[in-house]
């Protein structure tokens, strides 16, 4: 790809009306041209990609100043914040899990920025074990992951600072809580897999040249860290020869095998193993292509239980022996069904979690694949958990839906009896609300499910403020779950709708593939059809409809608002992938090519991406919806330059009076580990912006 650069600064100052005139910050344009297959594409805001420059920092501050001044004028903002804080302020306790001599669980007293890890000894005495709120004064550091050794005497935990995917790892003696050795640094996209009490396996990239928040990272490596040893002496196990973007290791429960997954994209992986019982064994290939998703579920000696979508788009569990691992020797343990499978193990059983139209049902199997029972769930919604050690007789699972906060249940593995273990006390009148699943038809005739939640008795008069949420990518399924911020929205007369678009995982690999690469427009068409259904059925109208999504869902919002600006009143793209010609040049973005394709892939792919890329499809003179772009200045997954450039394009070209704002959270990343205080304020600002621009000045 040839590049030519000429520099000419064009100063653009815009004025728009909200209650008062808004003067947007000056965003200069620099003539930067990229050439794709003989076509020149101008990228005037390329300079905003430099997250280390003082100039970009100044632009961020100026944009935030304008945005927060605007938000401060919204009369219902303080009222929303007060209610959201009050509703959020209830005790939250996780399912317990046993490690060694202790039972551990997370607890948040209500408004703590990060949940705290507690434990009880065999006598039931409670003590604080690890408090992530002590990691930083402002709550911007969080617990990024934790792993106990098999006997529970050691623990390694990851710290994320400022929301970054780069982590440091600290090891403790669990009895004394004293640190062992020096912290590991520059660890990214990694689990921690203990081997005995001697050390553990972890993954990372070499530190990139340039900005660690945006520079490309494309060679993932698996290391072994020996306890107390210097990190520089860690042994490279896998990934040093052939580049792979994602490499992970897991140690079998009997500690005889290291299983290694290697991938170049977020879909499809190779599989390898290392026999840890033999001192000089070599890494052995089990699956040497990226055509399918393959995950080791468990093993019984050399007999492997594998979850795969090979010849099974909805997944199945197969078994084989390591002495004869070729696919012709695979045998079904749990065969594929018409519903998507996501299994877990605990208490000597396999728990097969299925989705039927995005709603959970669970079946318990023995290790020979015999059905023991279907697990009785508390209602229609999302169940998760059922994981634990083989020796456990009691497991735990969570249950939630759009009007039921996450509730923890205990489950007796032998009898199948469930009991409520932990029910949160939330100041929300659940019985006043209902969820309804509907099916609508997309542009090409495909039947799409959507769940609509609202206050009982809501009049279908086309005037209800409505948020339509979607994702539609990366085989990710949107299943019913309770949200405190959504509860506030519902209390104020709002409708919340979630569409299960193609590109997601709700109906398996076929559904996912139907929303990838040259079929990506299907996802946008599905979302547009959802909006049209809500309007046609008088749930809402274009004057009261907002669309919302984050990450790949931010792309969804950006594409739909540029393709159908007439359809909606408010757009809320969060941490979005918005420059489709350059997304793969940042951090680990190249790994998303299975879903998106790349601009260098072919002329056809370039033209297709250019045709919907939000940054490249903002047109001068169009009246776009009121837009609040949200991102974090430390987002090193979807770099904030996507959002910066999209906001700059919208501000430069917007016609009419709808405001175009960008809200940039400082010391925040892609979303994981964000403090409770920051999460509340962000949700308050999105709802206040949305209601205000729908003309709603008072709450119910």
């Amino acid at each position: 790809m040839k590049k030519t650069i000429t520099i000419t600064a064009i100063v653009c100052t815009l004025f728009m009306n909200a209650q008062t005139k808004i003067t947007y910050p000056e965003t200069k344009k620099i003539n930067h041209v990229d050439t794709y297959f003989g076509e020149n594409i101008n990228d005037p805001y390329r300079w905003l990609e430099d997250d280390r420059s003082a100039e970009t920092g100044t632009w961020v501050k100026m944009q935030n100043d304008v945005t927060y001044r605007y938000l401060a004028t919204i009369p219902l903002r303080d009222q929303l914040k007060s209610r959201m804080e009050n509703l959020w302020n209830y005790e939250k306790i996780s399912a317990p899990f046993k490690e060694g001599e202790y039972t551990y669980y997370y607890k948040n007293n209500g408004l703590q920025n990060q949940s705290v890890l507690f434990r009880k000894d065999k006598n039931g005495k409670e003590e604080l074990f690890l408090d992530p709120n002590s990691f930083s004064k402002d709550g911007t550091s969080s617990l990024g992951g934790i792993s106990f050794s098999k006997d529970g005497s050691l623990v390694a935990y990851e710290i994320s600072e400022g929301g970054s995917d780069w982590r440091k790892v600290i090891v403790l003696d669990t009895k004394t809580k004293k640190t062992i050795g020096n912290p590991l640094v520059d660890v990214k996209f990694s689990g921690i897999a203990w081997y005995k009490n001697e050390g553990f396996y972890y993954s990372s990239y070499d530190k990139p040249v340039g900005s660690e928040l945006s520079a490309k990272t494309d060679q993932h490596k698996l290391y072994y860290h020996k306890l107390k040893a210097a990190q520089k002496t860690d042994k490279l196990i896998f990934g040093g020869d052939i580049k792979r973007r994602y490499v992970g290791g897991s140690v079998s429960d009997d500690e005889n095998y290291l299983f290694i997954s290697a991938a170049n994209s977020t879909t499809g992986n190779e599989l390898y193993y290392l026999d840890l019982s033999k001192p000089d064994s070599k890494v052995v290939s089990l699956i040497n292509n990226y055509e399918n998703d393959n995950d080791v579920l468990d093993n019984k000696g050399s007999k492997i239980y594998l979850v795969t979508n090979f010849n099974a788009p909805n997944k199945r569990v197969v078994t084989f022996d390591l002495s004869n691992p070729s696919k012709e020797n695979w045998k079904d343990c749990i065969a594929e069904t018409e519903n998507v499978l996501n299994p877990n193990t605990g208490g000597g059983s396999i728990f097969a979690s299925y989705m039927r139209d995005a709603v959970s049902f669970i079946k318990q199997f023995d290790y020979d694949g015999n059905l023991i029972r279907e697990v009785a769930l508390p209602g229609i919604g999302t169940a998760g958990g059922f994981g634990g050690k083989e020796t456990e007789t009691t497991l735990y699972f969570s249950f939630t839906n759009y009007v039921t906060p996450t509730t923890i249940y205990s489950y007796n593995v032998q009898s199948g009896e469930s009991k409520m273990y932990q029910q949160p006390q939330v100041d929300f009148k659940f019985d006043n609300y209902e969820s309804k699943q509907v099916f609508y038809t997309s542009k090409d005739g495909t039947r799409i499910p959507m769940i609509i939640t609202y206050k009982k008795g809501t009049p279908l008069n086309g005037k209800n403020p409505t948020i339509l949420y979607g994702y539609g990518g990366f085989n990710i399924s949107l299943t019913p779950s309770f949200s405190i911020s959504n509860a506030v929205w519902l209390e104020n007369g709002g409708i919340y709708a979630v569409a299960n678009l193609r590109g997601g995982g709700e109906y398996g690999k076929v559904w996912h593939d139907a929303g990838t690469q040259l079929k990506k427009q299907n996802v946008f068409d599905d979302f547009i059809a959802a909006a049209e259904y809500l309007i046609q059925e008088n749930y809402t109208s274009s004057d009261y409809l907002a669309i919302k999504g984050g990450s790949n869902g931010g792309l969804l919002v950006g594409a739909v608002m540029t393709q159908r600006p007439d359809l909606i009143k408010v757009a809320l793209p969060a941490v979005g992938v918005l420059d489709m010609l350059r997304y793969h040049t940042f951090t680990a973005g190249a790994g998303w090519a299975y879903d998106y394709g790349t601009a260098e892939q072919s002329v056809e792919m370039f033209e297709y991406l250019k045709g919907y890329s939000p940054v490249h499809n903002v047109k001068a003179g169009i009246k776009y919806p009121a837009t609040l772009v949200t991102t974090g200045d430390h987002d090193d997954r979807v770099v904030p330059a996507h959002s910066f450039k999209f906001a700059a394009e919208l501000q430069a070209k917007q016609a009419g009076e709808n405001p175009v704002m960008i809200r940039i959270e400082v010391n925040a990343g892609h979303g994981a580990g964000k403090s409770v205080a920051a999460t509340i304020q962000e949700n308050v600002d999105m709802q206040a912006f949305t209601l205000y621009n729908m003309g709603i000045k008072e709450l119910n």
Side-chain angles (χ1 to χ4, degrees), residues 186-198:
D186 299 333
V187 176
K188 188 173 184 180
F189 294 159
S190 179
I192 298 169
W194 282 93
Y195 176 64
K196 300 183 178 178
N197 288 340
E198 299 172 7

Side-chain angles (χ1 to χ4, degrees), residues 141-406:
S141 294
S142 61
L143 183 63
I146 191 164
S147 177
F148 290 82
S149 62
K150 186 176 180 179
D151 68 1
S153 65
L154 299 168
V155 65
Y157 66 93
E158 301 177 49
I159 294 179
S160 169
E161 297 173 324
S164 173
D165 283 330
W166 291 99
R167 310 284 167 83
K168 64 180 179 183
V169 178
I170 295 172
V171 179
L172 298 179
D173 179 305
T174 58
K175 190 171 185 178
T176 65
K177 293 188 273 190
K178 291 184 177 179
T179 303
I180 298 175
N182 293 319
L184 275 63
V185 297
D186 299 333
V187 176
K188 188 173 184 180
F189 294 159
S190 179
I192 298 169
W194 282 93
Y195 176 64
K196 300 183 178 178
N197 288 340
E198 299 172 7
F200 54 83
Y201 298 89
Y202 71 95
S203 308
S204 197
Y205 303 90
D206 294 335
K207 206 66 176 284
V209 177
S211 170
E212 68 176 52
L213 294 178
S214 58
K216 192 172 185 177
T217 49
D218 63 355
Q219 186 169 1
H220 216 198
K221 299 175 183 179
L222 182 68
Y223 295 92
Y224 176 71
H225 174 71
K226 189 174 181 179
L227 217 57
K228 299 182 181 179
Q231 186 176 359
K232 65 182 180 181
T233 66
D234 289 352
K235 183 180 179 181
L236 177 63
I237 303 298
F238 188 89
D241 49 356
I242 301 173
K243 280 189 176 184
R244 296 172 180 88
R245 293 189 182 95
Y246 308 110
V247 173
S250 62
V251 175
S252 61
D253 192 53
D254 59 17
E255 299 190 314
N256 285 332
Y257 302 104
L258 170 69
F259 296 105
I260 302 170
S261 173
N264 276 324
S265 189
T266 50
T267 296
N269 64 291
E270 301 173 311
L271 197 62
Y272 300 82
Y273 81 96
L274 181 66
D275 189 338
L276 299 176
S277 67
K278 298 176 182 177
D280 297 316
S281 62
K282 305 294 183 183
V283 172
V284 177
S285 173
L286 292 173
I287 298 169
N288 62 0
N289 62 72
Y290 306 110
E291 295 173 5
N292 301 100
D293 298 315
N294 308 283
D295 297 296
V296 175
L297 179 66
D298 205 351
N299 72 295
K300 299 294 182 184
S302 61
K303 183 180 181 180
I304 305 302
Y305 290 77
L306 184 76
V307 184
T308 183
N309 58 13
F310 172 69
N311 286 343
N314 291 337
K315 294 188 178 181
R316 57 181 172 146
V317 177
V318 300
T319 62
F320 60 84
D321 194 277
L322 287 174
S323 61
N324 292 291
S326 57
K327 290 177 179 176
E328 57 265 25
N329 295 316
W330 290 8
K331 295 179 181 178
D332 278 0
C333 175
I334 301 176
E336 182 194 24
T337 71
E338 69 275 14
N339 302 115
V340 180
L341 169 66
N342 182 28
N344 206 349
T345 63
S349 291
I350 299 173
F351 290 86
S353 175
Y354 293 99
M355 275 187 299
R356 184 185 290 121
D357 297 331
V359 174
S360 296
F361 67 98
I362 312 291
K363 291 184 177 183
Q364 181 180 353
F365 292 86
D366 66 22
Y367 270 72
D368 292 324
N370 300 309
L371 177 65
I372 298 173
R373 66 177 63 90
E374 182 166 345
V375 178
L377 296 178
I380 297 173
T382 303
F386 296 99
K389 294 177 172 60
E390 184 177 8
T391 55
E392 299 291 344
T393 57
T394 300
L395 302 178
Y396 297 86
F397 69 93
S398 62
F399 179 81
T400 183
N401 57 38
Y402 291 114
V403 295
T404 304
T406 300

Side-chain angles (χ1 to χ4, degrees), residues 34 36 41-44 46 562 578-583 606 609-619 624 645-646 649 653:
D34 295 329
Y36 301 84
I41 301 294
N42 194 24
D43 191 359
R46 176 70 63 88
T562 51
L578 298 161
D579 183 343
M580 298 310 296
L581 301 186
R582 286 183 53 74
Y583 78 87
F606 159 66
L609 289 167
K610 184 185 69 169
Y612 75 77
S613 175
V615 165
H616 300 91
N617 283 278
V618 180
K619 305 290 194 299
Y624 290 103
K645 293 202 285 186
F646 187 54
E649 290 284 356
K653 296 175 180 176

